[in-house]
Amino acid sequence: MSKVPFQLMMPQSRMSSVVFASPHSGRDYPWSFLRRTVLDERTIRSSEDAFVDRLFECAPQFGAPLLKAGAPRAFVDLNRSADEMDPALVEGVRRQAHNPRVASGLGVVPRVVAGGRAIYRGKLPLDEAQARVVDYWRPYHDQLQALLNEARSYFGEAILIDCHSMPHEALDGIAATGAQRPEIVLGDRFGASADGEIVDRIEAAFAAAGLHVVRNAPFAGAYSTQAYGRPSKGQHAVQIEIDRAIYMDESLIRPNANFHAFRKLLRGIVAEIVEIGGRGAVPVAAE
């Protein structure tokens, strides 16, 4: 698998309490993994937040770190709890209280990709599933928490921006009602994971760039926003979902003709989001 559980892009100086993370953009699909799946190389990527890390890779230029996954989501889902093991996939896992994510095959070790298409034929050994958590999930989250702890130490607060993309079809239900189709969905667990003023400013940054923004529907935030969003302790978490059709060809999993223009547009938005947590420079060397 991926030689590293994550990649960390650090600024020369941390200028802000904001930390960007992209847990679903990992795209290292070596043959050792592909030969075990019943899916072809394109279908196995359908759950991947393809190119999201490239969209946000400018963050360090403005003084904020970017943490991105090494392993792909189809192998281990970093936006799930470590104990969300799927008994329908992993041998020896006992059924627990109903969990809709696990029941749908989207636990920490996914059973399916987008559209409910099975990744494997048969089950995986428990020790293999646990190894994925130990080797990939835990180092990623240890590093993420370290970045947030450092932000709180330096700036008195931490703001996690969890970066994702959503299939265009995920918004068909909203469009069917006659409402304007959202291009950006912000998730703050209905106000539980971040201070309202922070979310207001993030929404304003996207709206000022001409993008239609909604909150919490159809995505309110998953594990990362729930686990790291602690506003009462000065630690905030906001999930950003971007309509993939804006910047990529979903069927071919390739950047589309609008990719570079959208990345340029997003650059200005990222700069404004970093400014929300701006408190002055802290040299990285001090870390």
Side-chain angles (χ1 to χ4, degrees):
M1 282 306 303
S2 174
K3 295 181 177 63
V4 295
F6 60 82
Q7 292 180 301
L8 177 59
M9 300 175 63
M10 290 295 293
Q12 290 187 344
S13 297
R14 291 187 72 168
M15 305 291 292
S16 170
S17 63
V18 174
V19 175
F20 290 85
S22 180
H24 287 164
S25 60
R27 50 183 173 269
D28 189 346
Y29 294 85
W31 177 243
S32 59
F33 174 51
L34 293 176
R35 68 183 179 184
R36 296 194 58 181
T37 177
V38 297
L39 302 175
D40 60 58
E41 294 185 28
R42 184 176 299 168
T43 306
I44 196 68
R45 296 188 64 191
S46 59
S47 291
E48 177 189 320
D49 286 347
F51 315 118
V52 164
D53 55 334
R54 290 177 58 186
L55 292 176
F56 287 91
E57 66 184 2
C58 63
Q61 298 175 30
F62 299 109
L66 169 62
L67 178 68
K68 52 186 182 178
R73 181 185 187 184
F75 182 77
V76 60
D77 192 333
L78 303 176
N79 199 26
R80 295 290 182 266
S81 172
D83 62 5
E84 288 186 285
M85 288 285 184
D86 185 353
L89 174 66
V90 183
E91 295 174 348
V93 172
R94 300 177 62 180
R95 294 188 180 276
Q96 301 178 353
H98 178 70
N99 180 313
R101 294 184 294 269
V102 173
S104 63
L106 297 174
V108 65
V109 178
R111 171 165 43 91
V112 302
V113 294
R117 292 164 289 192
I119 297 173
Y120 308 96
R121 184 179 292 109
K123 289 192 171 187
L124 298 178
L126 177 58
D127 60 352
E128 180 177 336
Q130 291 174 331
R132 297 185 190 187
V133 171
V134 171
D135 294 341
Y136 296 92
W137 189 96
R138 200 161 303 285
Y140 175 90
H141 284 282
D142 286 348
Q143 180 63 73
L144 179 54
Q145 187 62 72
L147 291 169
L148 296 173
N149 290 345
E150 289 167 356
R152 290 171 62 190
S153 175
Y154 298 153
F155 305 105
E157 68 173 8
I159 303 172
L160 169 62
I161 305 298
D162 208 44
C163 307
H164 297 263
S165 64
M166 53 189 173
H168 187 69
E169 64 183 16
L171 306 172
D172 286 347
I174 295 175
T177 67
Q180 183 179 354
R181 180 184 288 271
E183 296 168 300
I184 306 293
V185 178
L186 302 181
D188 65 354
R189 307 287 297 182
F190 298 94
S193 69
D195 183 87
E197 182 179 349
I198 291 173
V199 186
D200 287 345
R201 291 184 64 180
I202 294 172
E203 180 174 351
F206 281 102
L211 296 164
H212 181 51
V213 188
V214 299
R215 297 190 193 183
N216 296 310
F219 305 106
Y223 173 77
S224 292
T225 43
Q226 185 175 14
Y228 296 106
R230 297 288 184 267
S232 63
K233 297 182 178 180
Q235 184 168 288
H236 311 269
V238 180
Q239 178 176 283
I240 295 176
E241 295 274 3
I242 302 173
D243 182 354
R244 293 174 185 166
I246 296 175
Y247 67 90
M248 66 176 280
D249 183 320
E250 292 185 77
S251 62
L252 298 177
I253 314 182
R254 294 178 182 171
N256 63 21
N258 190 51
F259 180 82
H260 294 292
F262 181 67
R263 185 166 63 167
K264 183 177 180 180
L265 180 73
L266 197 60
R267 180 181 176 86
I269 297 170
V270 168
E272 290 191 46
I273 293 174
V274 172
E275 184 60 31
I276 294 171
R279 299 289 189 276
V282 176
V284 171
E287 300 178 8

